[in-house]
PDB file of all heavy atoms in Angstrom:
ATOM      1  N   ASN J  64      10.859  -9.826  -2.313  1.00 93.00           N
ATOM      2  CA  ASN J  64      10.946 -10.618  -1.032  1.00 93.00           C
ATOM      3  C   ASN J  64       9.882 -11.726  -0.957  1.00 93.00           C
ATOM      4  O   ASN J  64       9.770 -12.425   0.076  1.00 93.00           O
ATOM      5  CB  ASN J  64      10.828  -9.669   0.114  1.00 93.00           C
ATOM      6  CG  ASN J  64      11.495 -10.190   1.413  1.00 93.00           C
ATOM      7  OD1 ASN J  64      12.306 -11.105   1.352  1.00 93.00           O
ATOM      8  ND2 ASN J  64      11.045  -9.644   2.494  1.00 93.00           N
ATOM      9  N   GLY J  65       9.104 -11.915  -2.014  1.00 94.00           N
ATOM     10  CA  GLY J  65       8.017 -12.978  -1.928  1.00 94.00           C
ATOM     11  C   GLY J  65       7.072 -12.882  -3.053  1.00 94.00           C
ATOM     12  O   GLY J  65       7.224 -12.122  -4.011  1.00 94.00           O
ATOM     13  N   ASP J  66       6.050 -13.747  -3.006  1.00 94.00           N
ATOM     14  CA  ASP J  66       5.018 -13.821  -3.946  1.00 94.00           C
ATOM     15  C   ASP J  66       3.898 -12.884  -3.569  1.00 94.00           C
ATOM     16  O   ASP J  66       3.674 -12.479  -2.453  1.00 94.00           O
ATOM     17  CB  ASP J  66       4.490 -15.245  -4.118  1.00 94.00           C
ATOM     18  CG  ASP J  66       5.420 -16.178  -4.773  1.00 94.00           C
ATOM     19  OD1 ASP J  66       6.267 -15.642  -5.674  1.00 94.00           O
ATOM     20  OD2 ASP J  66       5.499 -17.376  -4.469  1.00 94.00           O
ATOM     21  N   ILE J  67       3.018 -12.480  -4.592  1.00 95.00           N
ATOM     22  CA  ILE J  67       1.913 -11.670  -4.407  1.00 95.00           C
ATOM     23  C   ILE J  67       0.661 -12.384  -4.951  1.00 95.00           C
ATOM     24  O   ILE J  67       0.582 -12.797  -6.099  1.00 95.00           O
ATOM     25  CB  ILE J  67       2.083 -10.353  -5.168  1.00 95.00           C
ATOM     26  CG1 ILE J  67       3.346  -9.558  -4.668  1.00 95.00           C
ATOM     27  CG2 ILE J  67       0.841  -9.472  -5.009  1.00 95.00           C
ATOM     28  CD1 ILE J  67       3.771  -8.427  -5.537  1.00 95.00           C
ATOM     29  N   TYR J  68      -0.326 -12.570  -4.016  1.00 95.00           N
ATOM     30  CA  TYR J  68      -1.542 -13.177  -4.429  1.00 95.00           C
ATOM     31  C   TYR J  68      -2.672 -12.133  -4.435  1.00 95.00           C
ATOM     32  O   TYR J  68      -2.823 -11.371  -3.426  1.00 95.00           O
ATOM     33  CB  TYR J  68      -1.887 -14.294  -3.399  1.00 95.00           C
ATOM     34  CG  TYR J  68      -0.896 -15.375  -3.331  1.00 95.00           C
ATOM     35  CD1 TYR J  68       0.228 -15.272  -2.516  1.00 95.00           C
ATOM     36  CD2 TYR J  68      -1.142 -16.613  -4.032  1.00 95.00           C
ATOM     37  CE1 TYR J  68       1.134 -16.332  -2.474  1.00 95.00           C
ATOM     38  CE2 TYR J  68      -0.237 -17.662  -3.947  1.00 95.00           C
ATOM     39  CZ  TYR J  68       0.824 -17.462  -3.145  1.00 95.00           C
ATOM     40  OH  TYR J  68       1.764 -18.536  -3.054  1.00 95.00           O
ATOM     41  N   ILE J  69      -3.379 -12.058  -5.570  1.00 95.00           N
ATOM     42  CA  ILE J  69      -4.416 -11.071  -5.682  1.00 95.00           C
ATOM     43  C   ILE J  69      -5.748 -11.832  -6.096  1.00 95.00           C
ATOM     44  O   ILE J  69      -5.731 -12.578  -6.984  1.00 95.00           O
ATOM     45  CB  ILE J  69      -4.040  -9.979  -6.734  1.00 95.00           C
ATOM     46  CG1 ILE J  69      -2.711  -9.404  -6.387  1.00 95.00           C
ATOM     47  CG2 ILE J  69      -5.173  -8.948  -6.829  1.00 95.00           C
ATOM     48  CD1 ILE J  69      -2.218  -8.413  -7.467  1.00 95.00           C
ATOM     49  N   GLY J  70      -6.876 -11.418  -5.449  1.00 93.00           N
ATOM     50  CA  GLY J  70      -8.087 -12.042  -5.793  1.00 93.00           C
ATOM     51  C   GLY J  70      -9.218 -11.548  -4.865  1.00 93.00           C
ATOM     52  O   GLY J  70      -8.965 -10.683  -4.028  1.00 93.00           O
ATOM     53  N   ASP J  71     -10.412 -12.134  -5.053  1.00 94.00           N
ATOM     54  CA  ASP J  71     -11.487 -11.674  -4.179  1.00 94.00           C
ATOM     55  C   ASP J  71     -11.326 -12.309  -2.825  1.00 94.00           C
ATOM     56  O   ASP J  71     -10.429 -13.087  -2.555  1.00 94.00           O
ATOM     57  CB  ASP J  71     -12.921 -12.139  -4.804  1.00 94.00           C
ATOM     58  CG  ASP J  71     -13.046 -13.578  -4.998  1.00 94.00           C
ATOM     59  OD1 ASP J  71     -12.303 -14.445  -4.364  1.00 94.00           O
ATOM     60  OD2 ASP J  71     -13.975 -13.954  -5.803  1.00 94.00           O
TER      61      ASP J  71
END
Side-chain angles (χ1 to χ4, degrees):
N64 206 20
D66 288 328
I67 302 170
Y68 297 83
I69 305 174
D71 63 18

